[in-house]
Amino acid sequence: MLKNLIKKLLGRKHPSLPNIDLIKNFKIENTKKPIKNILIATSSGGLFSSLVFESLLGNALKFKNCNVEFLICDSLLPACIMATEFNIDEKSFLKKGPKKICSSCYYESNRFLKESNFKINKLSDFFDENDQKYQELIKQIDNINLENVKDFKINDIPLGVHAHSGALRYYARTDLDYKKNANETLKKFLIAALKTQLSTEKLFSKKSFDTVILNHGIYVPQGVIHEVSKKNNINTVNYCLGTRKKTFCFCKDETYHKALIYEDNQNWEKIELNKKAEEKLNSYLKSRLHGNQDWIYFHNKPNFDLKSCFKKYNIDINKPLIGLATNVIWDAQIDFPSNFFKNILNWLFYTIDFFVKNENLQLLIRVHPAEVNSTKPAKQRVLDEIKKHYKSLPNNIKIIPPEDNVSTYTVMEACDSILIYGSRLGVELSAMNIPVIVCGEGFIRNKGIGIDINSFEDYDKILKKLPLNQKLSLEKLERAKKYAYHFFFRRMIEINSIDEKPDKWPNIDIKKDFYVALQNKTDIGLEVITKNIIEEKDFILEDKKTNL
């Protein structure tokens, strides 16, 4: 807190944020009436990488004659996406919420955006703590608990869903059942969600926006703003980091978690996967072994020695081997129509139970390396949960822990088929001709590529058919490759106006020639994104760079 106060008094800004003078000194001479009114709802200004990218996007839209405003939180909320148990312990959080980080979060973003010449809206500008409506609604929160929270709505806005996701993210867990103070934490997120809803509703009643742009689109406050924007029939755009370096995934009217699962297959079924495109895809899939083309990779020195791995875990090469790839169990815990399991652990235990009874098959569980090799290590780990649930496991069930540097791709390629819940690994493995059984919200669901499981009955039937003893049909393999190309190169849109700053925060910067690229329309990805925001279309980068 003292450091932040000194920075304010001295007028210092965060040293890693871009030199805003490069942007300020470029004069946008548009005198015409703006063609669109756009709100970029950064919300949590401490998400510095999002802040930098959104300032770039905002300037690009201003250049194209749009009126661009920002929305940020100014310490109004008692809980938010910025708060995790890693940076604020539970005792402090329950007492003071995210106040420990509020000052720097708001101060840095407000200063940066103000110097970028953007109009800034603050959540507190549209909220009154003494408002009678708020005082009446907040009483309802007293009756909310873990059992009924997901059903809690105000004016059809699912506050409970986003508050619950926010609490899971805070604890880095997939459930809150064993957290003594979970209800108190949950209520803080509910109050934050309610304040966000009322503030955003008032903002939209006073100002008219054609489009609202959000990072994430889930949790608190972003998820609530997303819901209120849609309720007000505003074109709502959500984005996230793509997989490849310098790429972003934009989705219209939905978060990428759902949009990519339920998108129209006609978006990619008819693309021509010629020799050049297939070589491009294969080259990228091969690069995934080392992650040198990606934003994030979890092993610095992956081990590709399958023989030593099998020996280490005593895997019998004469028995059918079925792979199971977990995902980060707390991440993006939102409701999906296709989910019939309570959560990933419920699925995992159900699956293990089957293999306990079928020792003629081997189950190889690969725990996601991000459980330990990430900025937010899981507080609830798969291996710990398995040990708590089972006194012992038979020899046909093998578990590779997250700490093991063995390549996930190497071990999965050796399997008859792969079971996934919400992992994006299914996109890659199916394109590598490995059958994938999708039990949750995996991105290849609904694509006619994997084996989609929609009920316990479906799952039981396919488990009893294992091993499959066959690769994908030629038709399915072709579909898998087309979709993988679509996913990695058309939905993940490269922005050349940013520079990557590995191992720094924020991890991106704005290129000095940003405005030259705008004037000459040389940043194709940025042109596509801004064009589709203005025209309110979905975001797919076609290989033909025409009609931009």
Side-chain angles (χ1 to χ4, degrees):
M1 294 292 287
L2 182 59
K3 287 182 180 179
N4 292 330
L5 178 60
I6 292 172
K7 276 200 299 185
K8 290 179 185 178
L9 293 174
L10 296 178
R12 292 178 184 171
K13 64 182 181 180
H14 191 285
S16 294
L17 288 172
N19 181 359
I20 208 64
D21 290 335
L22 295 173
I23 293 176
K24 285 171 64 179
N25 292 337
F26 186 90
K27 304 297 182 183
I28 298 176
E29 303 292 350
N30 286 328
T31 56
K32 300 177 183 177
K33 182 179 178 181
I35 57 175
K36 291 285 181 177
N37 290 314
I38 295 172
L39 178 70
I40 300 180
T42 300
S43 312
S44 304
L47 298 171
F48 286 154
S49 292
S50 297
L51 180 68
V52 172
F53 177 65
E54 288 165 13
S55 69
L56 178 149
L57 184 60
N59 275 282
L61 288 165
K62 280 205 297 186
F63 181 79
K64 295 182 182 297
N65 201 30
C66 294
N67 172 56
V68 180
E69 300 185 17
F70 276 74
L71 174 65
I72 57 175
C73 174
D74 53 341
S75 308
L76 174 70
L77 306 180
C80 71
I81 193 174
M82 293 298 298
T84 69
E85 209 173 11
F86 297 103
N87 58 17
I88 307 174
D89 64 83
E90 186 186 58
K91 183 178 179 181
S92 299
F93 181 72
L94 292 176
K95 187 177 181 180
K96 296 183 179 180
K99 294 300 180 186
K100 174 183 174 182
I101 57 177
C102 278
S103 179
S104 61
C105 178
Y106 165 64
Y107 170 73
E108 300 290 1
S109 59
N110 184 59
R111 179 188 179 97
F112 181 72
L113 292 173
K114 187 178 289 186
E115 290 184 353
S116 303
N117 296 320
F118 286 111
K119 165 65 179 173
I120 302 170
N121 299 281
K122 304 165 189 174
L123 283 178
S124 66
D125 292 341
F126 305 93
F127 180 78
D128 181 0
E129 195 85 27
N130 299 313
D131 180 70
Q132 185 177 354
K133 182 179 180 181
Y134 170 68
Q135 293 298 328
E136 290 174 356
L137 290 173
I138 203 170
K139 293 176 183 176
Q140 298 182 30
I141 292 176
D142 290 334
N143 300 318
I144 302 300
N145 54 48
L146 292 177
E147 298 300 318
N148 59 16
V149 64
K150 288 188 177 182
D151 298 324
F152 183 65
K153 298 180 180 181
I154 301 292
N155 295 337
D156 294 324
I157 303 299
L159 299 185
V161 169
H162 293 289
H164 184 256
S165 295
L168 292 175
R169 188 178 192 276
Y170 170 78
Y171 285 116
R173 296 179 59 88
T174 193
D175 63 58
L176 302 173
D177 297 341
Y178 300 103
K179 299 300 292 185
K180 180 181 176 181
N181 298 310
N183 276 320
E184 293 306 307
T185 299
L186 192 59
K187 286 178 181 179
K188 292 184 81 70
F189 277 95
L190 280 168
I191 293 170
L194 176 58
K195 286 186 173 184
T196 301
Q197 178 179 351
L198 296 178
S199 178
T200 310
E201 286 175 342
K202 191 169 184 179
L203 168 63
F204 292 156
S205 71
K206 289 181 174 291
K207 294 187 175 185
S208 177
F209 294 102
D210 299 294
T211 294
V212 171
I213 300 171
L214 290 144
N215 55 69
H216 289 80
I218 57 175
Y219 304 124
V220 177
Q222 289 91 334
V224 179
I225 298 171
H226 163 85
E227 303 285 357
V228 175
S229 177
K230 287 179 65 177
K231 181 80 184 285
N232 281 267
N233 297 314
I234 301 171
N235 179 46
T236 307
V237 174
N238 294 290
Y239 81 90
C240 65
L241 285 180
T243 304
R244 297 183 298 116
K245 290 178 181 179
K246 300 173 69 171
T247 64
F248 297 81
C249 178
F250 278 72
C251 296
K252 175 178 164 56
D253 295 328
E254 194 50 272
T255 72
Y256 83 95
H257 312 86
K258 293 183 177 179
L260 298 187
I261 294 175
Y262 301 108
E263 78 168 312
D264 190 337
N265 288 342
Q266 291 186 8
N267 287 348
W268 56 272
E269 285 176 324
K270 296 180 181 178
I271 64 175
E272 181 185 349
L273 198 66
N274 55 31
K275 183 180 179 181
K276 184 178 179 180
E278 191 157 358
E279 287 175 352
K280 182 179 178 181
L281 174 62
N282 291 338
S283 174
Y284 174 67
L285 293 179
K286 187 176 180 180
S287 80
R288 292 282 287 164
L289 295 173
H290 296 275
N292 51 23
Q293 293 186 32
D294 298 327
W295 284 112
I296 300 171
Y297 190 65
F298 298 106
H299 287 316
N300 291 326
K301 296 180 179 179
N303 175 13
F304 303 105
D305 189 344
L306 183 65
K307 186 176 180 180
S308 65
C309 174
F310 275 27
K311 183 179 180 180
K312 180 178 180 180
Y313 293 102
N314 194 27
I315 295 171
D316 187 347
I317 61 172
N318 296 313
K319 268 189 180 181
L321 183 64
I322 312 301
L324 184 152
T326 71
N327 46 278
V328 180
I329 62 177
W330 58 263
D331 192 23
Q333 292 295 294
I334 53 180
D335 290 332
F336 291 85
S338 57
N339 282 4
F340 54 94
F341 286 106
K342 178 183 177 183
N343 54 43
I344 185 174
L345 289 179
N346 181 225
W347 163 69
L348 182 61
F349 298 152
Y350 191 95
T351 305
I352 291 174
D353 287 345
F354 172 83
F355 282 88
V356 167
K357 299 172 186 176
N358 292 269
E359 295 192 35
N360 60 308
L361 299 171
Q362 293 180 105
L363 176 66
L364 178 60
I365 300 171
R366 180 33 160 153
V367 182
H368 200 301
E371 280 200 355
V372 293
N373 299 333
S374 73
T375 55
K376 289 187 286 292
K379 288 294 187 77
Q380 183 184 27
R381 297 185 178 180
V382 166
L383 190 53
D384 293 339
E385 295 300 316
I386 291 174
K387 288 178 178 178
K388 281 193 294 185
H389 197 82
Y390 299 94
K391 291 182 179 179
S392 63
L393 290 173
N395 290 331
N396 66 315
I397 298 176
K398 315 293 183 180
I399 303 174
I400 300 179
E403 297 87 356
D404 196 319
N405 268 8
V406 65
S407 167
T408 299
Y409 301 99
T410 298
V411 295
M412 293 294 126
E413 279 190 280
C415 296
D416 167 83
S417 49
I418 309 298
L419 304 166
I420 66 168
Y421 191 74
S423 173
R424 73 177 60 187
L425 194 62
V427 179
E428 299 144 77
L429 295 181
S430 57
M432 295 161 64
N433 202 13
I434 302 171
V436 178
I437 299 165
V438 187
C439 304
E441 63 276 9
F443 289 124
I444 60 168
R445 177 175 284 278
N446 303 319
K447 308 297 187 298
I449 296 170
I451 300 172
D452 294 349
I453 305 299
N454 298 303
S455 66
F456 289 107
E457 292 75 19
D458 279 355
Y459 199 32
D460 290 339
K461 286 179 182 177
I462 197 65
L463 286 174
K464 290 174 182 176
K465 289 182 180 179
L466 296 175
L468 299 180
N469 289 322
Q470 60 182 14
K471 297 295 185 179
L472 276 65
S473 66
L474 291 176
E475 180 186 358
K476 276 197 172 185
L477 180 58
E478 180 73 5
R479 289 180 68 84
K481 289 181 178 180
K482 282 186 177 183
Y483 182 69
Y485 186 88
H486 173 71
F487 183 86
F488 290 117
F489 296 106
R490 301 170 88 236
R491 295 300 318 213
M492 311 293 174
I493 301 176
E494 185 173 354
I495 305 295
N496 287 316
S497 294
I498 63 170
D499 275 327
E500 187 191 12
K501 299 194 302 181
D503 303 320
K504 292 186 179 181
W505 185 249
N507 66 336
I508 60 172
D509 203 347
I510 300 174
K511 281 188 175 180
K512 294 180 180 180
D513 61 353
F514 164 49
Y515 275 113
V516 176
L518 269 182
Q519 287 176 310
N520 297 329
K521 297 186 177 183
T522 53
D523 190 335
I524 301 301
L526 188 59
E527 292 297 317
V528 168
I529 289 170
T530 52
K531 178 177 184 288
N532 288 14
I533 287 172
I534 292 168
E535 296 182 359
E536 301 185 6
K537 295 179 179 178
D538 203 1
F539 301 84
I540 297 173
L541 179 63
E542 303 287 353
D543 281 341
K544 294 179 181 179
K545 303 178 180 68
T546 55
N547 301 319
L548 292 175

